[in-house]
Amino acid sequence: MHGLINRAVQCFVRDIYGPEIWAKLGAEVGVGTSGFEAMLSYEDEVTLTMLTALSRMRGQPVEDILEDLGTYLVTHPNTRAIRRLLRFGGQSFLELLYSLDDLPDRARLAVPELELPQLHLTELEPGRFRLEVAARQGGFGAVMTGILRALADDFGALAFLELGGAMERREVITINLLDPEFAEAKQFYLGGEAQLPGSAE
Amino acid sequence: MSVEPGRGAIGELASARGGFLEPILQEALDRLMPMHLQLRHSGHIAHAGPSLQKLRPDLPLSGRRFLEVFEIKRPSGVTRVSDLARADGGRVKLAFRDAPRTGMAGLVAPLSADHGLIVNLSFGFNIIEAVQDYDLTNADFAATDLAVEMLYLVEAKTAALNEWKALNQRLQGAMTAVEKQASSDMLTGLANRRAMEDVLERLTTSKASFGLMNLDLDFFKSVNDTLGHAAGDHVLREVADILRAETRLSDVIVRAGGDEFVLVFVGLSNPDRLAALGRRIISRLEEPIPFEGDTCNISGSIGLTVSDFYTTTDAEEMMQHADTALYASKRGGRGRVTVYASDLPGIGEGCD
């Protein structure tokens, strides 16, 4: 698994559960407090071990933790670069949904080694979508569910999401877009913030 | 564009205020090229695309003279808009005359013999400043315009680059620490033999002048034997402090072995000055060193040579000569400095 993904979990644990929980987890996984290098690749096994240990420590199913991770990626100030890059996908939640199929390619443009799950969106009927998330490892669907819930909020859309087949290699998210303009969208300037987003630190 | 505007589409419909195109055509152009301008042969702007007009919200571009609003950077010397389409395949570079003086690249095409020109503009490399200056959104760009994709790329690549930079800095820090460890003596913090070889190699290659001093502690073994290794280690650290205090920062002090030190004086090759320095070092070494209620008494013997003695300097040869001089000091009764000379007896020679 790419270091960026492991690093995302690390920052999430540190920012949401606290540095002492990360210290414990980092020691258990064997990467220490400094943790993962965002630009190096790691064995998939490491990520699995980390998530299993975290799930045990928190007494929470892995998919619930991963969904919180997705929400964190869009909403936390430390990961604002990720929110911005996702918002480039479209001007509305609907446009963003249609841009999801291109997400793995978009990510590869920035970091060629970063392998994201294949995403495939189908419109079942107006306002009702099915998003297939396929990857070597299950769990990305759960993260995606958290990301999309947070992004719907960011765009001011009212959407209802349901995850099927959680943690399997093919996960399915059903999206009911009830009201695309339910609330005012949060601001997004093409020209960026005062400065370009830096690292997650 | 496949539409060949006939007289029905243009001309009659033209008004002093609006564009000269049929409304449906005008709408199509606004959608396909939101940054375009329609120019009359007179040099007046007949119509500005919606995104271009957004750059000057308080100033309707339509009706103004093109060359008064924009400064043409290239092609140079343009005084009539009709010249624009001819030069360089219609490529132009221009900028607003008033602030913000956003630069743009454009393409000019004549619309018909009777009616004006179309100028389609793009921000080119000024895109990043432009979206900041004018607060543009996705909707201001045609879907076929790669401007937003470019902004995405710049942002994504910058984020990735920052991560790379952070990684490189951490690796650089780790490398420096390892290098320092590998080239220094843990007890005294002085350079070790490996570092000394690097320095001598560099100095001989660059033909720099330098002095080389070998120092052996005298009576150190008896400190170790009578007061123990802790006392010995303490003495070695004290010696290191003395050597650091008596030399310049640019000089290299090496702990070459147990109680053997090598000093390299970069740019200092006067044997008399070095001998005087050697004597001062010895007199400081001979000051009693207190250790846990006991007193350690040592001295030192020095042999030295300088690069000026040789036509071509060879590190190994100079080390041998410094050793020969050191041996002469030892044999001469210790606690003294000897400068190398070719008539000194070799090590093991002339022993009684």
Side-chain angles (χ1 to χ4, degrees):
Chain A
M1 204 75 72
H2 197 273
L4 274 171
I5 292 171
N6 290 325
R7 181 91 184 164
V9 178
Q10 176 185 341
C11 293
F12 163 70
V13 172
R14 183 199 62 198
D15 293 342
I16 301 299
Y17 303 144
E20 60 290 340
I21 298 287
W22 166 251
K24 235 168 103 181
L25 188 62
E28 190 156 336
V29 179
V31 293
T33 312
S34 59
F36 298 96
E37 278 298 346
M39 285 302 174
L40 302 180
S41 284
Y42 296 84
E43 294 293 328
D44 285 357
E45 203 58 42
V46 181
T47 316
L48 275 180
T49 312
M50 171 164 64
L51 292 175
T52 313
L54 185 60
S55 162
R56 183 170 35 71
M57 279 163 73
R58 303 291 305 169
Q60 231 183 331
V62 174
E63 58 257 44
D64 290 3
I65 292 174
L66 289 178
E67 204 183 308
D68 289 347
L69 166 66
T71 309
Y72 161 83
L73 291 176
V74 178
T75 53
H76 201 275
N78 285 353
T79 55
R80 62 186 179 280
I82 294 174
R83 171 193 172 256
R84 280 193 57 79
L85 291 177
L86 285 166
R87 284 283 305 247
F88 268 100
Q91 275 196 283
S92 65
F93 187 62
L94 193 61
E95 268 187 37
L96 178 110
L97 286 179
Y98 285 129
S99 79
L100 287 177
D101 289 13
D102 302 330
L103 192 70
D105 293 333
R106 273 178 180 267
R108 251 199 305 279
L109 269 183
V111 183
E113 302 80 19
L114 179 57
E115 207 183 314
L116 290 186
Q118 291 304 313
L119 301 173
H120 184 66
L121 185 87
T122 325
E123 185 163 10
L124 303 171
E125 55 186 280
R128 217 173 116 76
F129 304 86
R130 170 193 156 89
L131 179 69
E132 275 185 36
V133 184
R136 238 182 18 233
Q137 298 254 332
F140 282 102
V143 180
M144 227 30 234
T145 307
I147 287 179
L148 289 177
R149 282 207 176 114
L151 276 176
D153 190 50
D154 211 84
F155 279 108
L158 181 62
F160 180 73
L161 284 85
E162 200 176 11
L163 173 65
M167 302 311 290
E168 285 168 26
R169 278 161 61 161
R170 181 172 296 270
E171 298 165 279
V172 175
I173 306 171
T174 315
I175 303 153
N176 276 301
L177 182 53
L178 304 176
D179 184 353
E181 287 167 49
F182 178 70
E184 201 173 332
K186 296 206 173 77
Q187 282 176 326
F188 173 72
Y189 299 112
L190 269 190
E193 292 148 17
Q195 57 183 45
L196 282 168
S199 68
E201 281 303 297
Chain B
M1 208 173 56
S2 62
V3 179
E4 176 59 45
R7 288 210 63 83
I10 47 180
E12 290 90 339
L13 285 164
S15 71
R17 189 195 58 80
F20 42 63
L21 297 177
E22 208 180 334
I24 187 161
L25 197 52
Q26 173 106 356
E27 251 174 60
L29 285 186
D30 279 349
R31 189 181 298 179
L32 293 171
M33 303 188 292
M35 293 271 292
H36 84 285
L37 282 171
Q38 294 162 24
L39 300 186
R40 295 180 200 285
H41 283 307
S42 65
H44 288 86
I45 297 170
H47 173 80
S51 299
L52 196 63
Q53 182 58 63
K54 193 177 170 183
L55 307 186
R56 289 293 179 274
D58 303 324
L59 180 91
L61 295 173
S62 179
R64 303 203 54 208
R65 290 185 70 90
F66 177 66
L67 294 177
E68 283 172 10
V69 179
F70 296 102
E71 180 193 351
I72 309 293
K73 308 267 192 189
R74 212 166 286 174
S76 51
V78 173
T79 49
R80 291 186 314 158
V81 292
S82 48
D83 296 339
L84 281 174
R86 279 190 279 277
D88 196 19
R91 288 168 179 272
V92 288
K93 284 198 170 224
L94 48 77
F96 275 106
R97 286 189 183 274
D98 61 332
R101 297 169 59 91
T102 310
M104 283 176 278
L107 200 53
V108 184
L111 204 54
S112 78
D114 301 333
H115 297 91
L117 307 148
I118 294 225
V119 186
N120 193 26
L121 295 173
S122 146
F123 290 115
F125 286 112
N126 305 310
I127 180 73
I128 293 166
E129 294 140 57
V131 290
Q132 284 167 350
D133 286 347
Y134 302 113
D135 194 15
L136 300 172
T137 72
N138 290 38
D140 295 316
F141 297 96
T144 47
D145 189 337
L146 293 178
V148 177
E149 281 83 351
M150 190 159 117
L151 290 173
Y152 168 82
L153 252 184
V154 168
E155 223 172 288
K157 283 288 180 194
T158 306
L161 196 65
N162 285 340
E163 290 291 350
W164 281 116
K165 279 189 197 154
L167 171 60
N168 273 342
Q169 263 164 16
R170 284 192 290 274
L171 291 180
Q172 179 74 42
M175 197 175 79
T176 313
V178 168
E179 271 185 347
K180 206 168 167 198
Q181 258 172 34
S183 60
S184 68
D185 170 52
M186 297 301 277
L187 176 67
T188 58
L190 298 177
N192 62 18
R193 215 171 241 288
R194 204 194 94 173
M196 175 185 74
E197 278 158 15
D198 288 350
V199 170
L200 289 179
E201 168 76 30
R202 207 177 63 229
L203 288 172
T204 50
T205 311
S206 66
K207 300 184 169 58
S209 68
F210 62 97
L212 184 67
M213 190 184 276
N214 281 8
L215 160 71
D216 254 27
L217 299 186
D218 296 322
F219 317 117
F220 176 73
K221 194 172 177 298
S222 72
V223 172
N224 250 347
D225 290 348
T226 57
L227 299 173
H229 284 290
D233 288 352
H234 175 70
V235 166
L236 287 172
R237 277 193 291 261
E238 289 290 309
V239 169
D241 286 344
I242 290 170
L243 295 179
R244 272 190 284 257
E246 293 298 331
T247 55
R248 304 163 304 173
L249 212 57
S250 58
D251 299 329
V252 182
I253 315 166
V254 180
R255 183 174 172 218
D259 59 354
E260 299 163 32
F261 298 82
V262 177
L263 293 89
V264 184
F265 299 90
V266 184
L268 176 53
S269 55
N270 179 328
D272 297 334
R273 282 184 56 196
L274 285 169
L277 175 61
R279 282 189 290 274
R280 194 164 72 236
I281 288 173
I282 290 171
S283 71
R284 287 211 49 194
L285 293 177
E286 287 174 346
E287 289 168 15
I289 301 169
F291 176 75
E292 292 180 357
D294 286 306
T295 305
C296 312
N297 289 299
I298 60 162
S299 180
S301 297
I302 288 174
L304 71 90
T305 185
V306 297
S307 59
D308 291 3
F309 290 169
Y310 310 86
T311 40
T312 46
T313 50
D314 176 87
E316 211 170 310
E317 185 188 19
M318 285 181 69
M319 281 300 287
Q320 266 174 22
H321 289 174
D323 265 345
T324 304
L326 169 64
Y327 174 74
S329 290
K330 289 253 187 211
R331 214 174 49 132
R334 296 190 167 118
R336 64 183 62 205
V337 179
T338 308
V339 178
Y340 174 74
S342 56
D343 58 357
L344 285 177
I347 297 171
E349 282 175 31
C351 246
D352 34 47

